[in-house]
Amino acid sequence: MADGLPDRDISRGTKWLLLVSSLVVIAIMVGEARSNLSAEWRRHQKEYHKLLLAKALDEANKETARSFNIALQQVVVPELGVTDRCVSCHTGIDNPHMADEKQPYRLHPGTFLKDHPVSRFGCAICHRGQGAAVNNADAKAVHAYWDYPMLPGKMVQASCGQCHDPKAMKGRGGDILARGARLFESSGCRACHKLGGRGGALGIALDDEGRRIIHQLPLTELKGEHTVWNWLAEHFRDPRGVVPTSQMRNPTLTEPEIEALTTYILSLSKLTIPEDYITPDKYEQKYEALRPGRPNGAELYRQFCFSCHESGTYSRWDKISGRFIPAIRGKALAASPAGYLRRNIELGRDGTQMPGWRKSGGGLSNSEIGALEAYIRGGVKPVEMTASAQGRGNAGRGRALFAQNCRGCHGSGGKGGVAPALGSATFLSVASDAFILSTIKNGRPDTAMPAFQRAGTAGLTDVELTDLLAYIRSMK
Amino acid sequence: MSDKKNENGISRREFLTKGALGSFLVAMGGATVGGFALPKPTVSPGPSRRYKLGDPGKFPVGTAMKMDKENIFLFRDVEGFYAITAVCTHLGCIVVRVDDGFACPCHGSRFAPDGHVVEGPAPRGLLWLEVSRTPDGGVMVDADVEVDLGTKLVV
């Protein structure tokens, strides 16, 4: 008996293994079969089948309805990389008889499918979401680790921007998107954000902002739903409420405007769409960007300058950046020497938030900068400054004079304060000696800069002015 | 571990043996049946070849047109709708309609108006494709479903 025991035990163990593993396999098969047979899409197709039978009045329609085959449906469009199974539940999406049914049996609203047949576009290219999913929650994928969850109804217009010019969508089913596109230009977003190479550098470029994934955004301060569209909307309501360190000015928009701007931002995408799908209006938009018409100075000012300088006729303390933003428009200011204003626009002011707007910077063409300059000058002719230096100044003496007379506003070492930073490389290269001397001598009307030498009063002497100039020139 | 029999006369060892074998056979059987479903995918990985044509009223009796992109001839006569592929069964050239049927420009195969071969080298006639009604009342050609010669959709 003792010899036979091990053999018997092995065979008994094997039998148990066989029994348990077979039962596990059976359980898995039963589970699979059940989940397959009770799938959400199957339920919806059965319901749709019933609707078809109920709606079929004549014998031919009844025959068609009876022959309706319950099967998983899939739309594949290789050109767009689309594999969408949405039609497995939305079976009536292009059936006009289903206009009054409830979801998911209902006909697609509007005439969108006439120009965009499901077989050529699929669904997720406009609605986003997980096209290959076969149940509602997975298809929407809002709280899943899915990059592009389904867009809320109204914001689907964002997707029109892939193949259409957003502004051309007005009256063509894309009113919200078109409004957002106009708001983007009129709200001065480009003062800090680049789009298509045009705009400031303080904020991020927005060319691909519509393809941002929620997990790339800071969420700790976000109050509502964790979706990109809610993040954008809350950010427009109160930029620092979502990103405490944001330098963005509050755009002060109404709720419908926020919805429109959010929709527009969601439309910004660098995704390449095959040529066949691009519409003529999109080509026109691109053509206009390449061949702009006559620039409009006032419009350019609104787009690129207004956000910081506002009307430009007063200096103001900016709480967000913690700096003074100088006045740039006004009769006396406009009378600066030829080239001074223009080069400031072109080069910006390093060390401040003011970027350079030339082609390689903010992306403006020469004629656009010309139009901006003309608008800022407001018709006032530039004045040539004539004050000249008295020999070579003494920078050491100038330094002491600067500490007494200038540092209060201009800050020590040319860093700037209430008044502009004189140590700015742009300023030092753009401002001529005559301009600096005249400005100290006569002040700068329209600003807080007083005259330091006036007939009949005890001001600085010409020699002292020259010393100051030498000191200012030594700042670098 | 003796061969003690219970009231039914089955020993525990026998029960285990039978149970293990039985469940193994059930599992194998189920897996085999399931396995038969594998070669036939539920959905096609490529673009759909079902072409919705819309309202049958758009095609009066006597219609004989070529769907250029899809390479399908669509006909409607008094008996109904039928569709014949334009792809030659020889080497896949696109046949053209001629007075007495179809002719292949590549190697000279000729087909009768109903698609059967009149002259080689084509090994068999042009395929007839299924024309069916869609739930919204339209007609549809399914280029993936072949039907017998002469099958027409009565509208």
Side-chain angles (χ1 to χ4, degrees):
Chain A
M1 257 343 253
D3 289 336
L5 210 64
D7 273 354
R8 212 176 60 179
D9 270 2
I10 288 166
S11 77
R12 219 177 126 245
T14 314
K15 280 176 194 166
W16 272 109
L17 187 67
L18 190 64
L19 178 69
V20 170
S21 57
S22 301
L23 288 176
V24 167
V25 169
I26 291 169
I28 290 172
M29 284 192 309
V30 170
E32 280 300 309
R34 275 177 59 131
S35 77
N36 207 340
L37 291 175
S38 65
E40 202 174 318
W41 64 268
R42 221 177 260 281
R43 220 170 58 233
H44 286 314
Q45 288 198 9
K46 278 180 195 152
E47 185 60 37
Y48 181 69
H49 192 186
K50 274 187 215 154
L51 285 173
L52 283 180
L53 288 168
K55 278 172 191 281
L57 296 177
D58 56 46
E59 197 44 47
N61 278 334
K62 272 189 188 136
E63 185 52 43
T64 317
R66 270 195 292 272
S67 65
F68 176 77
N69 190 13
I70 292 179
L72 195 65
Q73 301 293 321
Q74 174 168 288
V75 179
V76 181
V77 187
E79 295 96 312
L80 297 177
V82 160
T83 304
D84 288 348
R85 294 174 176 164
C86 318
V87 284
S88 292
C89 296
H90 295 278
T91 20
I93 201 71
D94 56 357
N95 185 346
H97 302 159
M98 294 291 153
D100 303 320
E101 292 308 324
K102 59 182 201 304
Q103 288 289 30
Y105 317 108
R106 196 194 294 157
L107 171 77
H108 194 288
T111 53
F112 298 98
L113 291 193
K114 273 219 164 62
D115 302 318
H116 308 86
V118 179
S119 57
R120 185 163 178 246
F121 288 83
C123 312
I125 196 79
C126 298
H127 291 273
R128 302 193 181 178
Q130 190 178 190
V134 285
N135 67 64
N136 192 24
D138 288 352
K140 285 188 173 162
V142 171
H143 297 293
Y145 286 97
W146 186 254
D147 289 354
Y148 304 113
M150 197 170 128
L151 289 170
K154 281 181 191 166
M155 289 180 187
V156 176
Q157 292 184 13
S159 302
C160 305
Q162 295 174 102
C163 308
H164 290 277
D165 171 9
K167 289 199 190 94
M169 292 315 289
K170 194 182 177 188
R172 295 168 63 201
D175 287 347
I176 298 174
L177 176 66
R179 186 181 190 188
R182 289 192 306 274
L183 275 169
F184 182 81
E185 303 300 353
S186 64
S187 306
C189 306
R190 287 188 192 269
C192 301
H193 295 284
K194 271 197 177 55
L195 180 63
R198 287 158 63 83
L202 267 186
I204 53 161
L206 298 177
D207 298 86
D208 208 22
E209 197 59 13
R211 303 288 293 174
R212 201 171 269 286
I213 294 160
I214 187 66
H215 307 292
Q216 295 172 321
L217 297 167
L219 298 174
T220 45
E221 309 290 329
L222 187 67
K223 287 180 250 352
E225 196 184 38
H226 283 196
T227 54
V228 173
W229 46 92
N230 183 51
W231 192 95
L232 288 169
E234 276 196 24
H235 190 62
F236 291 143
R237 277 179 211 121
D238 175 19
R240 269 156 302 286
V242 180
V243 184
T245 54
S246 172
Q247 298 238 359
M248 183 159 136
R249 272 134 196 84
N250 195 331
T252 56
L253 302 170
T254 64
E255 277 304 307
E257 284 174 333
I258 285 173
E259 185 186 78
L261 197 57
T262 302
T263 304
Y264 178 66
I265 298 299
L266 285 169
S267 81
L268 303 175
S269 153
K270 286 210 272 191
L271 193 79
T272 335
I273 293 281
E275 226 172 60
D276 298 0
Y277 287 85
I278 305 294
T279 57
D281 56 68
K282 189 78 174 179
Y283 281 118
E284 267 158 37
Q285 180 196 7
K286 288 182 185 201
Y287 183 84
E288 268 163 41
L290 290 170
R291 305 276 171 84
R294 212 184 142 80
N296 175 336
E299 209 171 276
L300 289 168
Y301 186 89
R302 177 74 225 178
Q303 281 185 26
F304 296 97
C305 314
F306 188 88
S307 290
C308 295
H309 290 289
E310 299 188 352
S311 73
T313 51
Y314 48 85
S315 300
R316 63 182 190 91
W317 172 253
D318 181 50
K319 263 202 305 208
I320 302 170
S321 58
R323 311 186 61 95
F324 267 86
I325 294 176
I328 51 169
R329 291 172 65 213
K331 276 205 166 71
L333 274 175
S336 57
Y340 178 71
L341 179 57
R342 184 177 179 109
R343 293 194 62 199
N344 268 307
I345 300 172
E346 282 173 354
L347 302 174
R349 282 288 181 93
D350 53 298
T352 75
Q353 265 93 335
M354 168 76 179
W357 293 100
R358 64 195 188 284
K359 199 84 203 163
S360 59
L364 299 191
S365 66
N366 282 335
S367 65
E368 283 175 320
I369 289 178
L372 252 184
E373 186 193 3
Y375 174 76
I376 292 170
R377 279 195 193 282
V380 179
K381 291 234 154 51
V383 174
E384 265 331 298
M385 305 286 176
T386 52
S388 56
Q390 304 291 303
R392 282 180 69 114
N394 180 323
R397 281 203 305 265
R399 186 192 174 86
L401 284 166
F402 189 88
Q404 281 168 20
N405 297 291
C406 318
R407 197 169 65 189
C409 295
H410 286 286
S412 56
K415 275 200 217 81
V418 174
L422 301 180
S424 147
T426 312
F427 174 77
L428 290 173
S429 75
V430 164
S432 66
D433 286 356
F435 175 63
I436 296 174
L437 288 169
S438 313
T439 304
I440 305 172
K441 215 166 160 172
N442 306 321
R444 193 118 159 93
D446 297 340
T447 76
M449 173 76 182
F452 282 86
Q453 189 192 68
R454 206 172 276 161
T457 60
L460 301 173
T461 65
D462 283 354
V463 174
E464 285 172 322
L465 288 180
T466 309
D467 291 341
L468 262 177
L469 175 67
Y471 174 63
I472 291 168
R473 285 287 178 214
S474 74
M475 293 173 175
K476 279 226 165 93
Chain B
M1 296 294 159
S2 61
D3 283 1
K4 229 189 273 168
K5 297 200 176 185
N6 66 11
E7 303 87 66
N8 299 324
I10 303 172
S11 75
R12 282 171 61 179
R13 203 193 304 170
E14 256 177 278
F15 178 74
L16 181 61
T17 311
K18 283 183 178 153
L21 272 173
S23 58
F24 171 72
L25 288 176
V26 170
M28 279 303 286
T32 310
V33 170
F36 279 114
L38 285 180
K40 194 174 163 279
T42 318
V43 285
S44 142
S48 164
R49 302 218 297 148
R50 287 176 182 176
Y51 306 111
K52 288 187 182 176
L53 304 173
D55 183 14
K58 286 194 295 183
F59 310 95
V61 171
T63 294
M65 59 169 278
K66 182 164 176 234
M67 295 158 62
D68 278 316
K69 240 175 87 194
E70 295 83 6
N71 289 320
I72 294 168
F73 291 104
L74 180 78
F75 300 92
R76 183 177 184 183
D77 59 18
V78 282
E79 290 163 44
F81 279 92
Y82 59 103
I84 299 177
T85 176
V87 182
C88 181
T89 49
H90 177 222
L91 287 173
C93 290
I94 303 305
V95 302
V96 290
R97 238 159 70 81
V98 290
D99 289 341
D100 55 349
F102 306 94
C104 181
C106 294
H107 304 98
S109 296
R110 297 188 77 87
F111 305 88
D114 67 0
H116 79 253
V117 188
V118 176
E119 206 176 311
R124 57 178 290 203
L126 296 172
L127 306 184
W128 279 52
L129 304 174
E130 186 191 61
V131 185
S132 58
R133 296 294 293 263
T134 53
D136 57 358
V139 283
M140 172 181 91
V141 178
D142 191 336
D144 287 326
V145 181
E146 192 190 327
V147 293
D148 290 336
L149 193 149
T151 313
K152 294 180 185 178
L153 174 76
V154 183
V155 178

